[in-house]
Amino acid sequence: FPRESRLCVLVDSREISSGAEVISSLKAVHGVKVQVCSLSSSDYIVSNRLAVERRSLSELLTSANRSKLTQRIQCLHRMFERICVIVEKDRTKAGEMSRFLQRTQYYDSLLSALVRAGVRILFSSCQEETAALLKDLALVEHRKNAAICVPTEVEGHKREMLNFYLSIPNLSYLAALNMCHSFRSVREMANSSLQDLVAGAQVSPQMAAEIHRYLHYSFEEQMLPESPYVTG
Amino acid sequence: PPTAESIVVPFGHVIGNEKWRGSEIAQKLQGKVRLVFEDGLGLVDFHLSNRTCILYISEADLVAGDEFKRRLVRFRNASSLGGIIIVERTQISDQYFLAVQKLVVLELGMVLLPVANQAEAAQLITQLVIFCISGEIVREQSKDHSSNPFLRKQCSQLADPAVFRTVQQIPGVGKTKALLLLQQFGSIHRLCNASVKELELVVGQAVAQQIHSF
């Protein structure tokens, strides 16, 4: 298992536009290794088991994005053992008066639901603070031996394997990455025991069982939603 | 003296520390929840259920120094209750907030929720109580968490389309070959363990070699 010694955080490519200062601050101020990749599931991954969502306060005050957020958190629950939401104050442009945002009952019920669901919540007043919080989270996870410690860039055969692993339902980007580095071939992965999967992918025993079930699932053509020949 | 013990909270009630009698929080809570005061709750300010309680840190606590930190650590060490820390984040106490958040969330692993004043705290506590109650009703009735949208739902999606997609990730395999391979071998596991000869019966020699060495 090749190991990285520096703190490492994976960042979803969409954060380049919306959270540029988070990324630059992580690199420049905190010396964290930042790997931008197409995560799609979460905004940040700071350890083998922890995903972080960055949400603006104004977005959480109104119920307009309720279903989007709900689906996102449900999806993260299937992929990650731990989830953290960072609530970030909205940026005010130069010259603009700081908007007064009224705390809503919806916001309080949202916080309550997140607390009950075991989601950790952190509050940040700007992108720089968010970066500091991400570093702190990565540091705590590092202390608990859950830090990201595999090379995050993959090429050639490993890249093909990564894409194969990423198509396994509910498998996080990091678990797929860990698999790339701990199994020499897909065959070796497919023939490994549950314990080997837990150690190789750094996932929970339940997740390993799910992967195992998936690999042994017997396919039936009739169960496809549409004939594979119809669509291009 | 009791400091952080679990107490029995009657269904739908909130038990408040005697010291909150007559406060703005108490006034705003009354009418929304059934609030009962008790002496000797020690470190805890409000019990929402048998398992969840609230510790309140006021602006004055924050400004006064580290006493509140000792209280939090004592609570954390003494209690197995789920502690929710509500903190007054005002213009004056804002400078202390980050350090408190780091202590509570990252070091002690507890929940921290900021409010601007007691009125906001009362609104927040009301929502927390609603979720405590609904959580308990659901737990008793069905052992399912479906009332909370953020909790894991059993996913009943069919695996077949996913398996079909996964096999197409093998280099040289598109939709047509993926289907032929799955028809022949049935599962990803069996496909992975097929010999080159077996694979050659389904796809060409070159692709068979590619799949085998993948």
Side-chain angles (χ1 to χ4, degrees):
Chain A
F1 222 70
R3 294 190 76 87
E4 279 275 342
S5 55
R6 214 157 38 115
L7 278 186
C8 176
V9 169
L10 301 188
V11 180
D12 186 44
S13 41
R14 277 170 305 183
E15 286 289 291
I16 294 176
S17 54
S18 65
E21 279 163 46
V22 179
I23 298 175
S24 60
S25 185
L26 271 174
K27 285 186 196 165
V29 182
H30 304 290
V32 172
K33 186 187 162 202
V34 175
Q35 177 74 47
V36 178
C37 23
S38 172
L39 296 179
S40 71
S41 62
S42 67
D43 296 335
Y44 298 89
I45 298 179
V46 299
S47 78
N48 284 318
R49 54 187 187 178
L50 176 62
V52 180
E53 278 294 287
R54 173 174 158 261
R55 296 280 151 167
S56 72
L57 178 60
S58 63
E59 191 185 340
L60 300 183
L61 285 169
T62 63
S63 58
N65 297 303
R66 166 185 248 150
S67 64
K68 223 170 75 185
L69 182 70
T70 310
Q71 281 168 12
R72 182 91 160 172
I73 303 277
Q74 279 174 359
C75 169
L76 287 177
H77 261 305
R78 290 195 288 270
M79 290 186 155
F80 290 91
E81 286 171 63
R82 292 166 190 228
I83 306 167
C84 178
V85 173
I86 296 182
V87 182
E88 189 180 280
K89 257 197 205 132
D90 300 69
R91 199 162 21 171
T92 46
K93 295 187 188 91
E96 191 186 52
M97 280 277 285
S98 143
R99 271 185 299 164
F100 178 73
L101 295 168
Q102 178 71 42
R103 190 176 179 117
T104 58
Q105 191 176 317
Y106 170 74
Y107 175 71
D108 283 324
S109 78
L110 191 72
L111 292 180
S112 304
L114 289 171
V115 168
R116 294 295 294 181
V119 175
R120 267 203 269 185
I121 310 167
L122 291 168
F123 299 87
S124 154
S125 21
C126 59
Q127 295 201 9
E128 287 79 3
E129 244 177 66
T130 300
L133 291 173
L134 284 166
K135 189 215 69 182
D136 286 341
L137 284 169
L139 208 57
V140 170
E141 289 293 283
H142 177 77
R143 255 185 269 142
K144 294 179 180 169
N145 285 323
I148 300 171
C149 55
V150 291
T152 49
E153 262 172 291
V154 289
E155 269 155 24
H157 182 51
K158 280 216 162 78
R159 164 59 57 182
E160 291 169 345
M161 276 164 57
L162 179 66
N163 288 336
F164 181 88
Y165 295 143
L166 283 174
S167 70
I168 299 174
N170 300 334
L171 197 71
S172 77
Y173 190 94
L174 203 70
L177 203 58
N178 286 336
M179 278 179 156
C180 278
H181 292 293
S182 41
F183 301 109
R184 263 164 309 186
S185 66
V186 171
R187 185 179 312 111
E188 188 185 312
M189 187 280 296
N191 289 323
S192 59
S193 68
L194 286 182
Q195 291 94 313
D196 290 340
L197 277 176
V198 168
Q202 297 280 310
V203 292
S204 67
Q206 294 92 306
M207 188 68 219
E210 215 177 294
I211 299 169
H212 191 263
R213 243 195 326 276
Y214 182 72
L215 296 171
H216 287 81
Y217 181 83
S218 76
F219 174 83
E220 279 178 55
E221 193 188 333
Q222 292 83 357
M223 302 304 273
L224 287 181
E226 55 197 29
S227 167
Y229 295 117
V230 177
T231 52
Chain B
T3 53
E5 282 165 21
S6 172
I7 62 166
V8 177
V9 182
F11 190 74
H13 284 63
V14 170
I15 297 184
N17 195 314
E18 184 62 37
K19 71 180 183 200
W20 288 96
R21 195 185 283 278
S23 66
E24 194 188 349
I25 291 191
Q27 283 165 16
K28 290 238 152 73
L29 278 178
Q30 266 148 359
K32 298 217 170 102
V33 299
R34 270 167 277 180
L35 180 63
V36 180
F37 290 104
E38 255 182 48
D39 244 346
L41 293 188
L43 299 170
V44 174
D45 291 303
F46 298 95
H47 283 276
L48 305 189
S49 74
N50 302 349
R51 267 173 285 186
T52 313
C53 63
I54 285 177
L55 276 69
Y56 193 90
I57 303 173
S58 68
E59 179 188 68
D61 290 336
L62 285 169
V63 176
D66 287 348
E67 181 52 36
F68 77 91
K69 289 185 190 163
R70 282 189 279 278
R71 178 174 158 228
L72 294 181
V73 173
R74 262 165 62 209
F75 171 82
R76 189 72 176 86
N77 291 337
S79 178
S80 59
L81 288 175
I84 297 174
I85 317 300
I86 295 183
V87 59
E88 274 180 15
R89 186 180 191 179
T90 62
Q91 276 186 329
I92 296 165
S93 67
D94 191 55
Q95 55 183 313
Y96 306 104
F97 180 77
L98 276 185
V100 174
Q101 176 164 264
K102 201 166 173 177
L103 172 74
V104 172
V105 184
L106 297 176
E107 286 168 36
L108 300 176
M110 292 195 282
V111 177
L112 180 77
L113 299 172
V115 296
N117 49 49
Q118 289 199 17
E120 283 195 2
Q123 182 184 297
L124 175 61
I125 290 173
T126 309
Q127 291 301 320
L128 285 166
V129 170
I130 290 170
F131 269 88
C132 268
I133 294 174
S134 66
E136 261 157 49
I137 294 172
V138 171
R139 198 176 309 120
E140 278 164 20
Q141 285 176 349
S142 62
K143 294 186 173 163
D144 178 26
H145 296 286
S146 53
S147 79
N148 189 328
F150 294 121
L151 280 171
R152 194 186 319 242
K153 281 212 178 98
Q154 268 312 311
C155 169
S156 56
Q157 269 184 352
L158 287 172
D160 304 85
V163 170
F164 186 48
R165 271 195 303 276
T166 299
V167 172
Q168 289 172 59
Q169 296 301 319
I170 302 172
V173 178
K175 283 191 174 172
T176 312
K177 287 192 180 111
L179 196 63
L180 288 172
L181 288 165
L182 281 167
Q183 279 166 346
Q184 181 64 34
F185 298 104
S187 71
I188 297 174
H189 181 256
R190 283 192 43 216
L191 174 59
C192 286
N193 286 295
S195 68
V196 180
K197 273 209 176 119
E198 287 174 297
L199 290 166
E200 271 178 15
L201 295 174
V202 184
V203 293
Q205 202 180 350
V207 178
Q209 194 59 53
Q210 246 179 327
I211 297 171
H212 189 74
S213 59
F214 187 55

